[in-house]
Amino acid sequence: MLSEIKDITESLFPRLIKIRRHLHSHPELSGQEYQTAAYVADVLSSCGIQVQENFGKTGVVGNLNGNGTDTRLLAIRIDMDALPIDELTDLEFASCKPGIMHACGHDVHTTVGLGTAMVLSQLAERLPGNIRFLFQPAEEIAQGASWMLRDGAMHNVNAIFGLHVFPSLQARSVGIRYGTLTAAADDIEIFIQGESGHGARPHKAIDAIWIASQVITTLQQAISRTQNPLHPVVLTIGQINGGHAPNIIADQVRMSGTVRSLHPDTHANLPQWIEEIVANVCNPYRAKYEIDYRRRVPSVQNNIELTRILESTCREAWGNEYLHILSEPSLGAEDFSLYLEHAPGSMFRLGVGFPPDKPNYPLHHSQFEIDESAILTGVITLAYAAYKYHQYFI
Ligand SMILES: [Zn+2]
Ligand SMILES: [Zn+2]
């Protein structure tokens, strides 16, 4: 099966490059993936795959039936949205839309997903079970997965695979990780209510700016003294507003930030922990506070068995040299984790980096580029892993 998958993918490669370049030059922002979704639906239909459009707002679902030997359903998740960035590459297929760019490689993901659908549809009679392709919108704003889930994306799904491009690894390589891959990311807003007064008479006021500074300092110190250092927490206050004039004590401060963590238990306890610290700082000085803690996405916890399938896929397809067992998780976040609340899954990193003599820009950079040979690696890895999943338990 592996050699058939490789042969078909190689014969499709020129078409896949065209698809990727078309998608790259026509990026669409989160929640506005209308043309991309129509394009995806067209390609899927042309492979004989049953398509549901307007799924999860601007998402597309494709259902591919295997030969029925295995009754389990495998989902493959692909994200399609681009970023509000002005593209500064000199590619001939650079974005034709000012201020919008595929700088996170979701054009590559979409191409790899379509390529996988094309390859597996040609081999459907030998594919033991069914596959559901989830082309989701709005990953960059961490909402697309919940839109897809609300429309039943994971209904009857037994397992799910996903991928993300990874410029730190050279093209042809694949990175996998057992357990934690990415962090939980939440939003926090803290409002401090003091009492204004004359800058010369602090004892007759409640200084919200000074209290806010204590809150920030105490939170950062408390991380190092009360959180398990093996279960990292990163709290970044990225925005702070308050005060009216240099000689007036501020009555209000509003600050907002992001809270990242890796361990699910730590993640579960963060709102209560933050509330206790803020209360302990504010109460002695009679300041009032409000905390708006919004959970966005949990951490991606890759399932061991499914990661093992990815590992053996890569060892067989690419040899040990191109397989990287990643030693560290990322404190970045992925809404792929929301699907994992419904079924086990595993997400891999697709190397897209150039050899060291060419610059490699990070994700979300206005000059981000990929080595297109990675598309071949992505399709073969995903298609063969899907086949192996259905083979595995038979
Ligand atoms: Zn991104
Ligand atoms: Zn991304």
Side-chain angles (χ1 to χ4, degrees):
M1 190 68 165
L2 177 59
S3 63
E4 282 97 325
I5 289 174
K6 281 189 168 177
D7 288 348
I8 298 172
T9 310
E10 270 157 29
S11 69
L12 287 171
F13 191 55
R15 184 165 170 217
L16 294 173
I17 295 294
K18 273 191 196 145
I19 291 176
R20 186 263 158 164
R21 293 183 178 187
H22 171 82
L23 293 168
H24 190 84
S25 59
H26 298 87
E28 291 176 295
L29 290 175
S30 308
Q32 298 170 34
E33 302 87 344
Y34 303 105
Q35 291 174 345
T36 309
Y39 185 90
V40 164
D42 264 3
V43 176
L44 292 176
S45 308
S46 72
C47 310
I49 289 176
Q50 180 208 340
V51 173
Q52 288 167 271
E53 291 184 75
N54 305 315
F55 197 102
K57 296 194 179 175
T58 42
V60 181
V61 168
N63 291 298
L64 172 65
N65 292 332
N67 62 26
T69 323
D70 183 15
T71 54
R72 293 167 311 145
L73 175 60
L74 173 72
I76 290 176
R77 181 278 209 153
I78 300 293
D79 46 9
M80 306 188 289
D81 53 329
L83 287 158
I85 294 177
D86 245 325
E87 178 158 356
L88 295 179
T89 69
D90 48 14
L91 296 169
E92 59 191 27
F93 52 91
S95 171
C96 64
K97 297 184 181 176
I100 308 180
M101 176 187 177
H102 267 300
C104 201
H106 298 189
D107 52 335
V108 178
H109 304 166
T110 307
T111 309
V112 168
L114 290 174
T116 305
M118 289 177 193
V119 172
L120 292 179
S121 63
Q122 291 192 33
L123 296 165
E125 280 177 14
R126 293 177 53 196
L127 188 67
N130 299 347
I131 296 183
R132 181 182 293 165
F133 292 90
L134 303 175
F135 286 86
Q136 83 157 68
E139 192 283 328
E140 292 292 355
I141 57 170
Q143 295 195 23
S146 28
W147 297 346
M148 295 292 281
L149 287 163
R150 209 166 48 205
D151 283 356
M154 291 296 278
H155 188 62
N156 290 332
V157 168
N158 298 94
I160 182 164
F161 284 132
L163 80 157
H164 203 291
V165 299
F166 199 55
S168 321
L169 280 182
Q170 244 173 270
R172 300 185 66 195
S173 299
V174 173
I176 60 163
R177 191 160 205 282
Y178 288 89
T180 313
L181 182 73
T182 60
D186 298 327
D187 292 334
I188 187 165
E189 194 170 300
I190 304 173
F191 174 70
I192 309 283
Q193 176 72 58
E195 217 173 283
S196 72
H198 197 292
R201 287 182 275 283
H203 58 296
K204 295 197 169 168
I206 300 173
D207 184 349
I209 285 186
W210 175 72
I211 289 167
S213 72
Q214 296 298 308
V215 165
I216 296 171
T217 309
T218 311
L219 282 168
Q220 298 301 356
Q221 289 174 343
I223 288 172
S224 87
R225 296 298 85 187
T226 63
Q227 293 292 332
N228 182 345
L230 297 176
H231 298 165
V233 174
V234 171
L235 191 155
T236 295
I237 298 293
Q239 212 170 17
I240 181 162
N241 285 297
H244 306 283
N247 60 349
I248 301 172
I249 288 174
D251 57 344
Q252 294 184 341
V253 169
R254 195 174 290 278
M255 46 194 166
S256 53
T258 180
V259 190
R260 308 285 169 126
S261 60
L262 292 179
H263 197 282
D265 293 346
T266 306
H267 184 225
N269 294 328
L270 282 172
Q272 196 198 338
W273 175 79
I274 289 172
E275 160 107 40
E276 279 170 18
I277 288 164
V278 174
N280 283 332
V281 173
C282 291
N283 290 341
Y285 305 109
R286 294 180 295 111
K288 296 194 170 67
Y289 64 88
E290 279 169 32
I291 301 172
D292 183 10
Y293 192 99
R294 288 184 298 270
R295 291 204 182 274
R296 288 178 68 211
V297 293
S299 59
V300 168
Q301 300 290 331
N302 279 338
N303 171 272
I304 303 295
E305 291 287 300
L306 294 165
T307 309
R308 223 170 255 151
I309 292 176
L310 289 175
E311 178 174 351
S312 67
T313 296
C314 292
R315 288 199 194 282
E316 268 185 68
W318 313 118
N320 298 344
E321 190 189 341
Y322 294 101
L323 172 70
H324 297 257
I325 312 266
L326 302 169
S327 58
E328 290 178 352
S330 154
L331 280 160
E334 244 300 338
D335 71 2
F336 181 72
S337 56
L338 295 174
Y339 298 103
L340 302 181
E341 294 179 339
H342 301 263
S346 190
M347 178 178 233
F348 65 91
R349 306 285 203 189
L350 178 65
V352 291
F354 294 103
D357 55 336
K358 205 175 164 202
N360 276 303
Y361 296 100
L363 298 171
H364 293 209
H365 192 287
S366 56
Q367 287 168 282
F368 176 68
E369 279 184 47
I370 62 129
D371 180 336
E372 288 179 321
S373 65
I375 291 169
L376 202 69
T377 312
V379 172
I380 295 168
T381 303
L382 204 48
Y384 192 44
Y387 172 74
K388 278 177 86 85
Y389 166 76
H390 280 305
Q391 277 296 88
Y392 198 62
F393 295 101
I394 292 173

